[in-house]
Amino acid sequence: MGKYIDIVKASGETFAAYLAEPEQGSGPGLVLLQEIFGVNDYMRETAELYAREGYVVLVPDLFWRSEQRVELGYDDDGVARGLQLRDALDNDTAIDDIADTVRTLRAFDNQAGGVGIVGYCMGGLLSYLSAVRLDIDCAVSYYGVGVHEHLDEAKNLQVPTAFHLAELDAFCPEPARTAIRAAFTDNDLVQIYDYDGVDHAFGTTGRDVFDPVAADLAYARTLAVLRNTIGPRYDLNAIWDNHVYHEFVTRDVPATMATMIDEPYVNHIPTLTGGVGQKDLSRFYAYHFVPTNPSDLKSITLSRTVGANRIVEEQLLCFTHDREMDWLLPGIPPTGKYVEIPLVAIVTIEGDKLCNEHIYWDQAGVLVQIGLLEPTGLPVAGIEQARKLVDKTLPSNELMAKWSTSEGKPIS
């Protein structure tokens, strides 16, 4: 858990900031800038999340001159009070406090590397203003309110910066978003991301407008800016390879679980198998995954794409169905049939540990190969899926009865 520390200004005045530190002790610096609701549970939880990603995080209490360490809820009273506090806050004064926070962070013994800023709502504006006025290394603005009113300073932006903009955001409507896009058209350091169908504060857990899909995508993009600019840089390939090694080679469940965060989850999409949390996932691996994998099972990596916090791997999974496979063919007695299936794993990594896995394959293709699904007249294929995956010269469109009818026709 984090703690509050005092930031000391040149005047001798002090204000609080929430500090969250990485387990490994040191890392790049990150300043998180609050919404109008103060340094509340959401901001502290977000600080802890970034600490797990390897950052030394400070969240300054920007409302301290009006009310120290204010924490507001998302009800009408919280919104009303937050707007009052925001109206009382002078942007230039807030930037001065942020500069003191950055200075304090850079002086920490465990702050190694650069310093970035991520801000939300009110903090989204202040993160942008920090990027154009302060000595920082990168910035990310989530649905910043009022950014379009300060685009005269856009020419001063010389560090990597990302803007997350919500389609339904009444506080940053389309004319404002258009102005922001236009201001940075020629700046290669700026990335602007639009999120369709979501509202202001779509990334804030606990709010009705929270959208987990958009929030997760924005978070991955934010990490990409931070990782590429200030680090830390983890070897995601090695982390994933180590996990797979213990899953399939040593078949050591405790060692497998040690590669994952405290609350991981695995979801095999076609069969809804896996688990959430160390307890259930350990049970799943120990009794329903590792011992049910055939002795000849092997996975062949065909491609791997590595992002800021994700790996997408395309595999060919090969095995003889010599035992009941709870995770892949639950309830189906062994058929002795040989199976080859294309499989895609989408793996999220938090810091240096696996967070979750989404595993996809075509279950119909498996059922065809073990003889439980007759493919005649159905648009499904068996082992042909695997064979065409590795040999592109094999014919296409053989399941399309109408394919021959288009031969020789003009292409308009």
Side-chain angles (χ1 to χ4, degrees):
M1 296 296 294
K3 61 183 180 182
Y4 279 94
I5 66 167
D6 285 333
I7 306 292
V8 181
K9 298 183 67 63
S11 64
E13 296 174 290
T14 64
F15 61 94
Y18 185 78
L19 170 65
E21 300 171 284
E23 263 189 29
Q24 59 266 40
S26 64
L30 184 64
V31 176
L32 295 185
L33 301 180
Q34 65 184 64
E35 301 170 296
I36 63 170
F37 304 99
V39 184
N40 59 4
D41 287 345
Y42 168 66
M43 293 305 302
R44 293 193 297 271
E45 289 166 3
T46 303
E48 298 293 346
L49 173 60
Y50 279 109
R52 294 194 297 272
E53 297 284 7
Y55 298 95
V56 181
V57 187
L58 276 179
V59 191
D61 173 17
L62 298 178
F63 286 156
W64 65 278
R65 290 178 178 83
S66 297
E67 181 180 344
Q68 294 188 11
R69 289 176 58 169
V70 61
E71 296 185 39
L72 300 173
Y74 302 125
D75 56 7
D76 291 343
D77 290 342
V79 171
R81 179 58 179 150
L83 290 173
Q84 288 176 345
L85 292 166
R86 175 65 184 102
D87 289 343
L89 181 68
D90 175 71
N91 286 337
D92 294 340
T93 302
I95 294 298
D96 188 58
D97 289 343
I98 295 166
D100 288 324
T101 305
V102 171
R103 173 183 51 78
T104 300
L105 187 52
R106 288 193 190 277
F108 286 171
D109 291 339
N110 64 344
Q111 192 276 309
V115 171
I117 290 182
V118 177
Y120 307 84
C121 182
M122 175 188 82
L125 167 62
L126 295 174
S127 66
Y128 160 65
L129 293 178
S130 297
V132 297
R133 298 180 186 181
L134 302 181
D135 179 19
I136 60 172
D137 298 287
C138 60
V140 178
S141 169
Y142 277 76
Y143 28 82
V145 178
V147 170
H148 64 289
E149 297 172 354
H150 298 270
L151 293 176
D152 57 316
E153 299 185 60
K155 60 184 180 298
N156 299 325
L157 188 59
Q158 298 181 16
V159 297
T161 301
F163 294 91
H164 299 300
L165 306 178
E167 180 188 18
L168 306 180
D169 191 348
F171 300 102
C172 184
E174 179 55 33
R177 300 196 297 273
T178 298
I180 292 170
R181 295 185 202 102
F184 298 107
T185 298
D186 299 322
N187 191 332
D188 293 337
L189 293 172
V190 175
Q191 295 171 302
I192 298 175
Y193 298 108
D194 294 288
Y195 299 84
D196 295 337
V198 299
D199 208 337
H200 181 80
F202 68 79
T204 306
T205 54
R207 299 189 67 173
D208 293 340
V209 293
F210 174 65
D211 187 287
V213 174
D216 190 52
L217 181 57
Y219 180 71
R221 289 166 167 171
T222 296
L223 272 183
V225 174
L226 299 175
R227 294 272 196 257
N228 292 336
T229 309
I230 61 175
R233 295 175 178 87
Y234 297 103
D235 187 346
L236 271 59
N237 281 296
I239 294 167
W240 173 232
D241 285 341
N242 185 45
H243 175 81
V244 171
Y245 174 75
H246 289 302
E247 269 189 313
F248 295 105
V249 180
T250 69
R251 300 197 175 201
D252 184 331
V253 172
T256 299
M257 297 307 301
T259 68
M260 309 187 85
I261 65 171
D262 290 341
E263 286 296 310
Y265 76 86
V266 170
N267 185 7
H268 297 109
I269 306 298
T271 53
L272 307 178
T273 57
V276 178
Q278 284 275 343
K279 182 180 178 181
D280 278 356
L281 193 52
S282 294
R283 171 185 163 196
F284 170 76
Y285 278 137
Y287 297 103
H288 304 281
F289 184 81
V290 171
T292 73
N293 282 329
S295 55
D296 68 343
L297 182 143
K298 65 177 179 179
S299 62
I300 303 168
T301 299
L302 301 179
S303 68
R304 181 181 290 183
T305 303
V306 180
N309 69 333
R310 276 185 178 82
I311 287 179
V312 177
E313 178 159 304
E314 183 183 31
Q315 301 177 354
L316 191 62
L317 192 69
C318 310
F319 62 90
T320 300
H321 185 219
D322 62 3
R323 66 197 71 186
E324 183 176 339
M325 300 176 68
D326 290 354
W327 66 277
L328 188 107
L329 289 163
I332 305 300
T335 62
K337 299 292 182 66
Y338 178 71
V339 176
E340 291 185 6
I341 54 169
L343 180 147
V344 174
I346 300 175
V347 182
T348 303
I349 297 174
E350 183 180 286
D352 61 355
K353 292 184 182 293
L354 264 71
C355 180
N356 60 64
E357 302 174 38
H358 295 166
I359 313 294
Y360 298 80
W361 68 86
D362 176 19
Q363 189 71 344
V366 177
L367 297 178
V368 167
Q369 292 182 66
I370 65 170
L372 289 187
L373 180 63
E374 170 54 52
T376 304
L378 296 175
V380 298
I383 202 168
E384 296 83 7
Q385 292 183 8
R387 290 175 177 166
K388 184 163 177 56
L389 177 63
V390 297
D391 184 359
K392 66 181 180 182
T393 66
L394 292 176
S396 300
N397 305 322
E398 291 195 323
L399 293 177
M400 291 171 52
K402 295 182 178 180
W403 174 241
S404 61
T405 65
S406 64
E407 186 171 1
K409 288 185 175 181
I411 307 298
S412 57

